[in-house]
Amino acid sequence: MQNFTEEIKYELTSVQLSDECCKRAALSAFIRTSGSVVSRNGKFGFEIVTENEGTAEYISDMLESSFGLHLTVSGAKFDVLSGRDKLTFECVGDDAQKLLVSLGIVSINSDGAYLNFGIDEKVIEKDCCKIAYIKGSFLGGGSCTLPDEDALSRTGYHFEIVFSNKVAASDFCELLCGFEILAKLVSRKDCAVVYVKSKEVISDILNVISAENCLEKLNKIVELKDKTNNENRVNNCSVSNIDKTVTASVKQVRAITVIAETIGLQSLDKLLFDVAEARLADTNASMQELAERLRISKSCINHRMRKIFELSESLGKD
């Protein structure tokens, strides 16, 4: 059974990018988040690591059909956390180096080749390329978790994308700002993580990358959790009110008992006597219920009960 991260990646890889500029943006982001630049026998290239077979096939097809490059499997390692093999693919050579340059990851000058740590603005000039970059970033280093349907679950909403360096992650936050999406940035070991924990913001991101099926699922879970939380709040409020009623009743009965055992309830005037008698007759009733039975207002019965408390306290002191 797919988790929500896999569902998003499946939906993203189900739709092919049509424009070459968008493909470059997606590839640039994918390598930024799941890959690294390598050198083999004096030649530059890149390697990528993924445990998602659909994503690997999607990237491989894009490289082959649009750029004439082929990925080769260079390693496989079992990941204990996911229970899957993490496959490492690589592509090295002149054509791979040219692609890295066109993706804004490597630059070449008279001194040789060097890495660009930030996002090249030429790669994300158009809005469609910006969206493609977000898609590629999630395919490479993204994950998203939702609360379990179990009402007792403490799992919350969490969306994150891991970048290999803080410069690219910071640039990515600015890219998201262009879509009115505010994300946070934190360092984690040797990586930089862009994340959000708001269900509303996660919804906005899914909407931007056109993950409509996943957006619909998110909205259903949000609706269900909100309904459950509201019901819990109502129940907690009811329990709290019951507790307050019981506590108040115990105090009132204790005060009335003090009066009864000292000067007797018959010593009370009729107004206070009626309140005391009504309370002793039903120790579980709320003040509102007692007021209705005596056909007086709640403020009136509260006033009379305060008189009873004052008399009880004076008798107790004596």
Side-chain angles (χ1 to χ4, degrees), residues 18 33 38 46 68 98 125-126 135 140 157 163 171 174 185 221 233 235 247 277 289 315:
S18 56
T33 51
V38 297
F46 59 90
K98 289 179 182 178
E125 281 184 325
K126 302 177 182 178
K135 291 180 179 180
Y157 300 92
F163 286 83
D171 287 350
E174 289 188 22
L185 173 60
I221 291 178
R233 278 194 288 270
N235 291 335
T247 301
E277 186 179 47
E289 290 171 332
L315 294 174

Side-chain angles (χ1 to χ4, degrees), residues 191-253:
C191 301
V193 182
V194 176
Y195 73 96
V196 297
K197 290 181 175 292
S198 162
K199 56 181 180 287
E200 291 83 8
V201 179
I202 295 175
S203 176
D204 290 341
I205 294 174
L206 295 179
N207 183 53
V208 167
I209 61 178
S210 300
E212 296 176 0
N213 293 332
C214 292
L215 177 58
E216 183 179 353
K217 179 174 181 178
L218 169 64
N219 290 336
K220 287 181 179 178
I221 291 178
V222 169
E223 184 179 354
L224 177 62
K225 295 297 292 184
D226 287 348
K227 181 180 178 181
T228 301
N229 290 337
N230 287 335
E231 290 175 351
N232 288 340
R233 278 194 288 270
V234 170
N235 291 335
N236 291 338
C237 183
S238 297
V239 171
S240 176
N241 287 337
I242 291 172
D243 290 342
K244 290 179 180 178
T245 298
V246 171
T247 301
S249 176
V250 170
K251 292 180 179 179
Q252 292 161 5
V253 170

Side-chain angles (χ1 to χ4, degrees), residues 295-306:
R295 296 182 180 180
I296 58 177
S297 66
K298 187 177 179 181
S299 61
C300 183
I301 196 172
N302 282 331
H303 175 71
R304 295 179 187 179
M305 191 61 75
R306 280 196 297 271

Side-chain angles (χ1 to χ4, degrees), residues 92-307:
V92 179
D94 292 338
D95 290 338
Q97 181 173 304
K98 289 179 182 178
L99 178 63
L100 288 174
V101 172
S102 71
L103 298 183
I105 296 175
V106 170
S107 291
I108 298 177
N109 57 22
S110 57
D111 296 325
Y114 62 92
L115 293 177
N116 297 319
F117 292 100
I119 299 175
D120 190 336
E121 299 238 345
K122 295 179 182 178
V123 177
I124 53 171
E125 281 184 325
K126 302 177 182 178
D127 285 343
C128 60
C129 297
K130 290 181 173 67
I131 294 172
Y133 200 96
I134 298 172
K135 291 180 179 180
S137 299
F138 188 82
L139 289 176
S143 64
C144 185
T145 56
L146 302 178
D148 295 332
E149 294 184 6
D150 182 2
L152 299 178
S153 171
R154 295 185 178 180
T155 306
Y157 300 92
H158 186 86
F159 179 102
E160 72 173 36
I161 297 177
V162 181
F163 286 83
S164 58
N165 71 81
K166 195 170 183 178
V167 178
S170 180
D171 287 350
F172 187 74
C173 286
E174 289 188 22
L175 188 157
L176 291 178
C177 281
F179 294 94
E180 297 184 352
I181 295 172
L182 300 180
K184 294 183 179 181
L185 173 60
V186 65
S187 297
R188 183 188 296 166
K189 295 183 179 179
D190 297 327
C191 301
V193 182
V194 176
Y195 73 96
V196 297
K197 290 181 175 292
S198 162
K199 56 181 180 287
E200 291 83 8
V201 179
I202 295 175
S203 176
D204 290 341
I205 294 174
L206 295 179
N207 183 53
V208 167
I209 61 178
S210 300
E212 296 176 0
N213 293 332
C214 292
L215 177 58
E216 183 179 353
K217 179 174 181 178
L218 169 64
N219 290 336
K220 287 181 179 178
I221 291 178
V222 169
E223 184 179 354
L224 177 62
K225 295 297 292 184
D226 287 348
K227 181 180 178 181
T228 301
N229 290 337
N230 287 335
E231 290 175 351
N232 288 340
R233 278 194 288 270
V234 170
N235 291 335
N236 291 338
C237 183
S238 297
V239 171
S240 176
N241 287 337
I242 291 172
D243 290 342
K244 290 179 180 178
T245 298
V246 171
T247 301
S249 176
V250 170
K251 292 180 179 179
Q252 292 161 5
V253 170
R254 186 180 300 126
I256 294 169
T257 301
V258 169
I259 296 172
E261 293 178 347
T262 52
I263 61 175
L265 296 182
Q266 296 300 329
S267 63
L268 297 174
D269 63 45
K270 187 176 186 311
L271 297 180
L272 297 185
F273 179 83
D274 289 344
V275 171
E277 186 179 47
R279 169 50 75 202
L280 293 178
D282 189 349
T283 57
N284 294 321
S286 66
M287 292 293 280
Q288 181 63 46
E289 290 171 332
L290 291 182
E292 291 174 356
R293 292 173 191 176
L294 294 173
R295 296 182 180 180
I296 58 177
S297 66
K298 187 177 179 181
S299 61
C300 183
I301 196 172
N302 282 331
H303 175 71
R304 295 179 187 179
M305 191 61 75
R306 280 196 297 271
K307 291 288 187 181

